DNA sequence: CTGAAAGCGCTAACAC
DNA sequence: GTGTTAGCGCTTTCAG
């Protein structure tokens, strides 16, 4: 314990800078020297002191991840996302500092305190007050989601507009004429969480393009909320034959309500879910779904962050194309 | 940006050490001086450099959290736990570095690299190979779970033995004579994850003490796994009247299988769940349950870690007492 | 290809 | 109650 770079240098009979360069690879080292140094490092069990390194190099090899653990977002989405971020970060030799608050102060603290090389922020809203603050920090940031004005920050997300449109198109192709979107809780809508709005926009466009009738209903993340939403849909569109559900939490309850109301899936109503594929597969009937590739998004976010940190590349926005997988919950419109 | 403690000292007309002491409160400062220093800090937007501080003080104000994101553990348990850890850590002015691998190398890296002041490790198994390694580190560690030999490390967990016993006692008191425990997946058992074993031990003791007949079945975290487990129970104990379910993931499928087999809850079989209360409440019928207080466990873990870091207190083991809440899925044994 | 040495920004003796 | 200063352990010029 507490062995320093000087100890290693002494043991290897070289200078401290040589040890440093062996470690960083930032200048050529002769093979014999490298061998001796590496030997000494192993023998002494030497580990560079992260703080000292950060102080001297102004790099921490730590990524900050702001992941507000909200209850109305499905946990498995968050977990997959976090998993993607952490494993991708390790790939770049970085660790992850986890912030679960969505407070500006916390993000300023870790950034201005030079605890992180970059920030990744989940769950960005259309007019997120954190965005302008991020812009002012000296570390680059990557946003998951799409604020109205990214102000030169990198963004990545599923292309929810394309997803909404794709769902509608899929149903139109199956001959459905009257379809409904059961979406996020009202609170999410009111936060102007951009994915919810983009989903609705795409869905609506798909509906229009195929000359369908479509309605949209918000849906709270509870048993009662789900049955309310279904009932509102049935009231507005009694002969609805297909549902798009963009609410992982309420999904099982929506399906249960359909059963209770005597509507069989898929014979009476087809269902397309927008959710992580494990959720779509975990229902009693495996659902046709558009995957939310949370882990992939996390990985891309890290790549974009590292591109800025390491290669100083400019900010960019990447929207991942949706993919629909048929699993049997969608069939041609009943006669 | 990049303002240092010297800038602050200059602006306030004091020495750097005075600024440092104002920040740390480690020695008395006259009111007027403090005012001027605080003013300068605010005006300049000064933030101490975490690395420099860590180097000089050998304290990072960061806690390492090892949270293997396994699929067979309910995500909401993990999330609650992580939430508890992060918010409690903030209470102590600490941030959290998240490790999602269960590899020894990662934990050694962050510890020996002096990235953290302490480690909290989830999901500890009976003979966890990480435990002896943790013992050798210079930072204190807190384990969630109970290894066979804690080797002087702090431990905290729900008292699963007491929980298993409590569930059996509750059912015995309601007149049930033949009961079953549907437990963790076989893989969890085979890892000798201690909570699963302690639960079984307590359940078995409760069964014996009340002269009941009881069987235990493992249960995979899948639809098929759940129906298999239920069927095995029904085969071994055809007139079973109560089930204890210790498997959050399979819980909904267990209930669905009971429905399919024509056993009504609670009229034909009573059900006690061991799971987070939100899971118990989220089922179609709210379940009588023993809560897994994941968030509280996380908070206690951090308190124990900080007790060791800040006050250098000795290691201890804390088992949280279980509490059973009746919610209507358990009734007196059918005649 | 290697070494010497000047910091990086802060803390904590040690002075007074 | 405050100031001076010697490190903390590493990176990175600058020299050779």
């Amino acid at each position: 314990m507490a062995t320093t770079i000087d100890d290693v240098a002494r043991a290897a009979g070289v200078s401290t800078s040589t040890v440093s360069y062996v470690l960083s690879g930032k200048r050529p080292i002769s093979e014999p020297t490298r061998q001796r140094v590496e030997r000494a490092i192993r023998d002494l069990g030497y580990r560079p002191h992260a703080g000292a390194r950060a102080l001297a190099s102004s790099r921490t090899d730590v990524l900050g991840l702001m992941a507000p653990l909200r209850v109305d977002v499905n946990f498995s989405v968050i977990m997959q996302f976090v998993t993607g971020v952490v494993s991708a970060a390790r790939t770049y030799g970085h660790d992850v500092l986890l912030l679960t608050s969505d407070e500006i102060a916390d993000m300023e603290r870790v950034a201005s305190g030079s605890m992180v090389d970059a920030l990744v922020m989940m769950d960005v809203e259309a007019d997120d007050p954190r965005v302008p603050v991020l812009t002012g920090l000296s570390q680059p940031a990557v946003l998951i989601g799409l604020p109205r004005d990214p102000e030169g920050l990198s963004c990545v997300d599923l292309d929810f507009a394309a997803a909404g449109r794709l769902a509608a198109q899929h149903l139109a192709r199956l001959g459905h004429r009257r379809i409904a979107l059961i979406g996020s809780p009202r609170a999410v809508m009111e936060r102007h969480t951009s994915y919810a709005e983009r989903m609705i926009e795409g869905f609506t466009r798909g509906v229009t393009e195929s000359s369908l009738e479509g309605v949209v209903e918000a849906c709270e993340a509870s048993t009662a909320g789900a049955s309310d939403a279904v009932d509102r849909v049935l009231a507005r569109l009694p002969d609805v034959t297909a549902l798009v559900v963009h609410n992982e939490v309420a999904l099982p309850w929506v399906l249960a309500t359909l059963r209770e109301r005597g509507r069989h899936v898929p014979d009476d109503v087809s269902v397309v879910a927008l959710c992580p594929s494990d959720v779509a597969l975990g229902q009693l009937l495996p659902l046709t779904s558009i995957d939310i590739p949370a882990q992939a998004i996390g990985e891309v976010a890290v790549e974009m962050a590292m591109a800025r940190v390491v290669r100083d590349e400019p900010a960019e926005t990447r929207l991942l194309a949706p993919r629909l997988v048929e699993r049997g919950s969608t069939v041609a419109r009943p006669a």
Side-chain angles (χ1 to χ4, degrees), chain A:
Chain A
M1 305 298 106
T3 87
T4 75
I5 198 172
D6 288 304
D7 299 330
V8 175
R10 209 169 305 122
V14 298
S15 70
T16 62
S17 60
T18 296
V19 177
S20 177
Y21 285 117
V22 166
L23 250 19
S24 70
K26 287 189 181 171
R27 82 179 180 192
I29 302 283
S30 73
E31 201 43 37
T33 316
R34 147 169 298 111
Q35 299 282 336
R36 272 185 301 135
V37 171
E38 281 170 351
R39 184 92 223 286
I41 289 177
R42 237 174 305 114
D43 290 352
L44 299 176
Y46 166 70
R47 309 265 188 178
H49 185 288
R53 174 174 275 188
L55 179 57
S57 67
S58 42
R59 288 241 321 195
T60 62
D61 290 357
V62 173
L63 217 63
L65 172 60
M66 301 198 67
L69 271 25
R70 296 230 175 80
V71 283
D72 46 16
V73 182
N74 183 285
F75 295 127
S76 100
V77 179
I78 302 180
M79 294 270 70
Q80 285 182 40
F81 178 74
V82 172
T83 303
V85 168
V86 173
S87 61
R90 287 302 309 138
T91 282
Y92 288 95
H94 276 63
D95 280 293
V96 172
L97 196 76
L98 178 68
L99 303 176
T100 58
S101 84
D102 55 358
E103 286 177 33
I104 291 179
D106 284 317
M107 113 194 161
E108 281 190 302
R109 183 171 47 76
V110 301
S112 310
S114 299
M115 303 184 73
V116 299
D117 291 338
L119 283 166
V120 171
M121 196 172 90
M122 289 184 62
D123 221 1
V124 175
E125 296 162 22
D127 294 294
D128 204 300
R130 297 169 299 178
V131 170
V133 180
L134 277 180
T135 310
L137 298 177
S138 45
Q139 291 93 339
V142 177
L143 312 179
I144 312 300
L146 214 50
R148 212 179 299 286
D149 178 7
E151 306 184 30
L153 299 172
S154 296
C155 303
V156 55
D157 207 350
L158 174 65
D159 189 336
F160 279 93
R165 185 156 169 255
L166 178 58
Q169 286 174 334
H170 171 72
L171 294 172
R173 207 170 296 123
L174 286 171
H176 295 271
R177 312 303 304 160
R178 269 172 277 280
I179 70 178
L181 168 62
I182 291 192
S184 306
R186 197 163 299 280
V188 173
M189 306 281 198
E190 277 161 10
R191 283 208 298 269
H192 291 288
T193 309
S194 78
Y195 65 80
E197 297 187 337
R198 287 181 282 141
M199 177 71 187
I200 294 174
E201 178 207 316
F203 175 79
T204 307
R205 181 142 51 91
V207 162
T208 307
E209 285 171 353
S210 301
S211 316
L212 310 180
E213 260 182 84
V215 302
V216 176
E217 286 289 346
C219 177
E220 304 311 304
S222 65
T223 320
S227 55
D228 280 2
V230 170
D231 288 338
R232 285 199 306 275
V233 166
L234 294 178
R236 291 176 60 186
L237 219 56
D239 45 2
V240 64
T241 62
L243 248 43
V244 178
V245 183
H246 177 201
N247 189 322
E248 313 97 352
V249 182
L251 186 52
W253 299 316
V254 165
L255 298 174
T257 304
L258 286 174
R259 257 197 309 279
E260 280 172 21
R261 300 292 179 270
R263 312 263 177 157
H264 186 268
V265 176
D267 300 337
D268 302 321
V269 289
S270 288
V271 170
V272 178
L274 181 62
C275 65
S277 42
D278 63 300
V279 174
L281 284 165
Q283 306 303 317
L284 294 173
L285 169 74
L287 303 178
T288 294
S289 74
I290 298 174
D291 186 24
I292 298 184
Q295 176 150 357
I297 293 175
E299 288 164 1
V300 170
V302 171
E303 262 152 42
M304 294 172 85
M306 298 318 295
R308 305 210 53 192
V309 170
V310 180
R311 299 191 297 281
D312 198 34
E313 289 178 8
E316 56 171 330
T317 289
R318 280 172 60 176
L319 293 182
L320 276 46
R323 249 170 31 85
L324 184 145
V325 178
E326 296 206 47
R327 293 210 184 80
S329 66
T330 49
V331 296
R333 173 175 60 132

